[in-house]
Amino acid sequence: LLNRTISYFSKHFKNSEDILFCIVDSSDSDIFYLNKEKIKTSEKNINIVHEDFRGFNVFDKTLESLKKIKTSLVMISGDDDFIIKDSLNKCCAFLDSNKDFSHSSGKIVTFQTNARGKIFNIKEYLQISNEHETPKERLLDHYKNYNNNYYNVHRKDLLIENLKITFSLNIGRG
């Protein structure tokens, strides 16, 4: 999947100097080196860094990789996600203009394909809007109507702080 995702970003984010793609790779060694070769061929088109996180669990690699990023806004994306550049820019502009918001998201759609790659089902991933006037109202609404905001554009420092608290609860660490 990473190969396909890198190809997509190389095509749709070509010469986007203001966007850094940080590949946080914890693949087994054979896959890691295949990824490394694909990334080398893509470096001329996009601003990309390949980080070696083999042996790290998902919690530690997420926090450690975020600490290395120099920008104030970040977005976590899986290797099966396709980001639309214009939407990403709108999310960043929204956060630049609205300092009391911690994250922003565009529309998210999921799709299924058949064996020949034809899309046969598209649906919008439910994102509940929490655009209340005060942070308190937004927080209350968030807990009243849970929604997943992990893959949104975030203020990096707040995301790190929130993840540290969440990960310290040891939820899902087996």
Side-chain angles (χ1 to χ4, degrees), residues 11-159:
K11 179 179 178 183
H12 295 281
F13 286 82
K14 191 173 185 171
N15 302 320
S16 297
E17 296 295 323
D18 56 332
I19 298 173
L20 170 66
F21 294 94
C22 181
I23 307 296
V24 181
D25 195 345
S26 59
S27 303
D28 291 334
S29 288
D30 53 340
I31 301 297
F32 177 86
Y33 289 109
L34 288 173
N35 291 341
K36 189 175 189 131
E37 288 306 311
K38 175 62 179 176
I39 289 165
K40 274 186 186 177
T41 64
S42 302
E43 287 176 328
K44 63 184 175 290
N45 294 330
I46 57 174
N47 192 9
I48 190 168
V49 174
H50 186 218
E51 294 286 346
D52 184 352
F53 279 90
R54 289 175 288 171
F56 282 73
N57 66 45
V58 69
F59 304 102
D60 295 332
K61 80 176 183 178
T62 301
L63 278 176
E64 292 306 312
S65 62
L66 285 170
K67 290 177 188 175
K68 292 181 171 198
I69 294 173
K70 305 285 187 243
T71 60
S72 63
L73 299 177
V74 296
M75 179 179 180
I76 295 173
S77 173
D79 61 4
D80 59 349
D81 296 331
F82 298 93
I83 313 304
I84 308 300
K85 185 177 178 182
D86 187 51
S87 295
L88 179 64
N89 289 335
K90 286 177 181 177
C91 289
C92 293
F94 176 84
L95 290 173
D96 287 341
S97 299
N98 296 276
K99 302 296 183 193
D100 62 331
F101 280 75
S102 61
H103 58 87
S104 177
S105 175
K107 290 190 184 282
I108 299 172
V109 296
T110 62
F111 59 90
Q112 294 174 302
T113 60
N114 64 19
R116 289 186 281 177
K118 286 263 202 197
I119 295 174
F120 69 88
N121 183 21
I122 300 175
K123 66 180 181 178
E124 189 173 338
Y125 186 84
L126 181 62
Q127 288 284 96
I128 298 169
S129 173
N130 57 356
E131 299 173 4
H132 300 288
E133 287 297 315
T134 67
K136 178 182 176 183
E137 289 173 308
R138 291 192 294 271
L139 184 62
L140 289 172
D141 188 55
H142 173 74
Y143 284 114
K144 194 169 64 180
N145 301 297
Y146 172 76
N147 67 320
N148 182 347
N149 59 31
Y150 186 72
Y151 296 106
N152 291 1
V153 176
H154 293 268
R155 296 190 191 286
K156 183 187 75 175
D157 293 340
L158 288 174
L159 179 60

